[in-house]
Each structure stands twice: as structure tokens, then as C-alpha cells.
Amino acid sequence: AMQTLHRDYARKEFDRRVRGWEQMVRIDPNHPDAHGQLGHAMLSVGRLDVAIRHYSEQLAVTPDDGAARYNLALALHSAGRLDEAIAGYRAALAVSPNHASVHNNLGNALLASGQLDEAVAQYRAAVATDPTLADAHHNLGIALVGMGRIGEGLRHSSDAARLRPEWAAPLAVMAWTLSTHPDASVRRPARAVELAEEAALITGRGDPSMLNTLAAAYAAAGEYGRAVVTAEEAMQLALARGASTLANEIAGLISIYRTNRPYREQPRLGIQ
């Protein structure tokens, strides 16, 4: 009951603030702070078109505001308007160049639009600007591993895990790569099992992709029975969450483990 009361209060407080900012905009249509606050509020509840409109209004009044440019780019990115988001992030960097989060999010938008090399350049700029930004190390690690630059990629994943010890995602990237890479010299099954067990522990065995990674690690280590049981657990979780694509992938992996074989990624031709 207390939770419901708290939620109701928070909702009323949110509505009251929004009404206040809307009143300010009616009195002064060029009030940049009111437009900015309305942008934040609408972004927080997923009303992206309205958020984009308010951030645009704010920028029209204060074109040199780097934070406003960044917020508009974030809203465009959330709305899947990648080309506009990329242009917006670049505009934000033109105003305030040494902003690691802007570089990182620009990297994400570039990656989503298929511009891998440019994304990597932005992730590199992010970690150069702020070596403690775990997200950027994680993203750079994934991108480099995807390009076949395994050693360097795993170092950045390791940095991400060190910077945010309770974060399972970089552990899973390392475990998956060390379990399933086609090059035997890259694989480290025992280490992969350690990393994947830690990732499963952090997520309370409640994340199907973490359990899927753990199953792949067990299979790489030759523990096929454990691989099957763990993958079945992952598949049930995926189905319960409505993640049917992941559940189908895991079903395919289970059929491999049942024949006492590990899963191997396909070699990436021409990417070294």
C-alpha cells in the first residue's frame, strides 16, 4: 500500500511540475529553461515527439547551449532518428568537445547505422577523454571483438568490468569470446566458466542471455550435462519473458550440447 501511495504522490508531483513549466511557456514562449525541463520530463515518460519539440524550442533560443544540443540528440536517438541524432551529437561536440558521454552515445548511433569504423573512433575518443567511463570501454570492447581485434577488445571489456564490478555485461562478453571463438589460441574455457558464473551470480540467475553464456562456457570446458541443464534454464526464462528469438537460438545450442559438442562462432572472413 505504501508503494502505491508513493507512486501516486510521485505522479501528482510530476504532473504539478509539468503544469508549472507549461504555464511558464504560455507566459513566455521563449523560456529556454521551461522548454528544457519539459523536454526532460517528456523524455523520462517516453513521449519522444513532445520532448524533441521542447528541446528544439530551447535550442532555437539558446543555440550555443551544448547540453541542450546533447539532450535533443539523445531524444532523436531514442526515437530511432539516427541520422539526425548523429548530426546532433556532432553539433554538441562542436560546442563542448571534451565530453566522453557524447562521444560514447555518438558511437552507439554510428554503430546502429552500420558505421563500425566511425563508431570505434568515437568510443576511443570517449575513453581517451574519460578513462573511467565503463560504458565506453564496454562498447569499444564489443566493437573490437566484432572486428576480430580480440586482445585489444578483451582488454577494454576487462577495464569495464574493473570500473563497474557489479555489472555482468562485460563479463559475459569476455566469457562468450573465450568460450566460442573459432581460434583455439583465443579460447580459455576454465576462465570463461569463472567469468560466466560471476555474471550469472550478479544477475541472480535471472537473465537468460547470461545463463546462455554460462552454458556455452560449460560446453567449451567439456561439461556438456551442465551445459544442457543451464541452457534449458536460460530457454525457459527467455520464453517467460517473451524473448522468442533468443529462446529459439538457445534451443539450437541445446541440440549441439546434447551431441557432446561445444558451440563455435563462425570465423569472420577477411576481418583481422
Side-chain angles (χ1 to χ4, degrees):
M2 283 301 293
Q3 268 189 325
T4 310
L5 277 172
H6 181 72
R7 266 202 309 274
D8 288 349
Y9 172 77
R11 179 79 224 179
K12 281 177 183 153
E13 180 63 13
F14 178 85
D15 290 343
R16 187 184 66 76
R17 288 184 174 190
V18 166
R19 280 197 302 276
W21 293 319
E22 284 173 341
Q23 179 74 15
M24 287 166 80
V25 166
R26 273 196 295 277
I27 295 165
D28 174 9
N30 292 329
H31 197 303
D33 288 344
H35 280 300
Q37 294 294 349
L38 282 166
H40 297 335
M42 295 300 111
L43 189 60
S44 74
V45 294
R47 295 183 60 191
L48 300 176
D49 289 351
V50 186
I52 288 164
R53 192 178 78 237
H54 283 295
Y55 286 138
S56 300
E57 296 274 358
Q58 181 187 17
L59 260 184
V61 184
T62 56
D64 295 332
D65 185 340
R69 287 194 179 280
Y70 179 46
N71 290 329
L72 175 57
L74 276 175
L76 289 163
H77 194 166
S78 298
R81 291 161 64 173
L82 291 176
D83 291 348
E84 292 168 89
I86 288 165
Y89 289 131
R90 291 198 191 282
L93 286 169
V95 177
S96 46
N98 296 321
H99 203 304
S101 290
V102 185
H103 283 297
N104 182 51
N105 279 304
L106 174 53
N108 289 340
L110 288 162
L111 191 68
S113 68
Q115 302 175 60
L116 181 59
D117 289 342
E118 294 219 22
V120 166
Q122 291 301 325
Y123 294 142
R124 286 194 193 283
V127 299
T129 306
D130 179 4
T132 70
L133 187 60
D135 278 331
H137 282 288
H138 176 57
N139 292 332
L140 182 53
I142 291 171
L144 289 169
V145 166
M147 295 168 83
R149 303 180 65 164
I150 307 300
E152 191 188 0
L154 291 178
R155 278 196 298 279
H156 284 287
S157 295
S158 181
D159 286 339
R162 179 176 50 76
L163 288 162
R164 272 176 62 187
E166 289 302 302
W167 193 22
L171 301 174
V173 171
M174 291 189 280
W176 184 262
T177 306
L178 296 174
S179 302
T180 66
H181 197 273
D183 183 344
S185 69
V186 171
R187 293 196 300 272
R188 298 276 185 280
R191 178 68 180 137
V193 168
E194 283 175 13
L195 291 163
E197 283 182 338
E198 192 182 338
L201 193 65
I202 287 171
T203 52
R205 294 186 82 88
D207 184 321
S209 65
M210 296 300 155
L211 290 176
N212 183 39
T213 300
L214 179 56
Y218 284 143
E223 297 185 44
Y224 299 109
R226 291 179 88 177
V228 169
V229 169
T230 307
E232 283 175 339
E233 190 183 341
M235 187 171 73
Q236 291 308 319
L237 266 177
L239 287 170
R241 289 188 177 189
S244 55
T245 306
L246 178 59
N248 287 335
E249 284 173 17
I250 296 170
L253 294 171
I254 292 169
S255 65
I256 295 172
Y257 306 150
R258 283 194 192 284
T259 63
N260 290 353
R261 286 179 302 146
Y263 172 70
R264 294 275 178 266
E265 290 274 9
Q266 292 301 308
R268 290 179 177 80
L269 297 175
I271 303 177
Q272 287 306 320

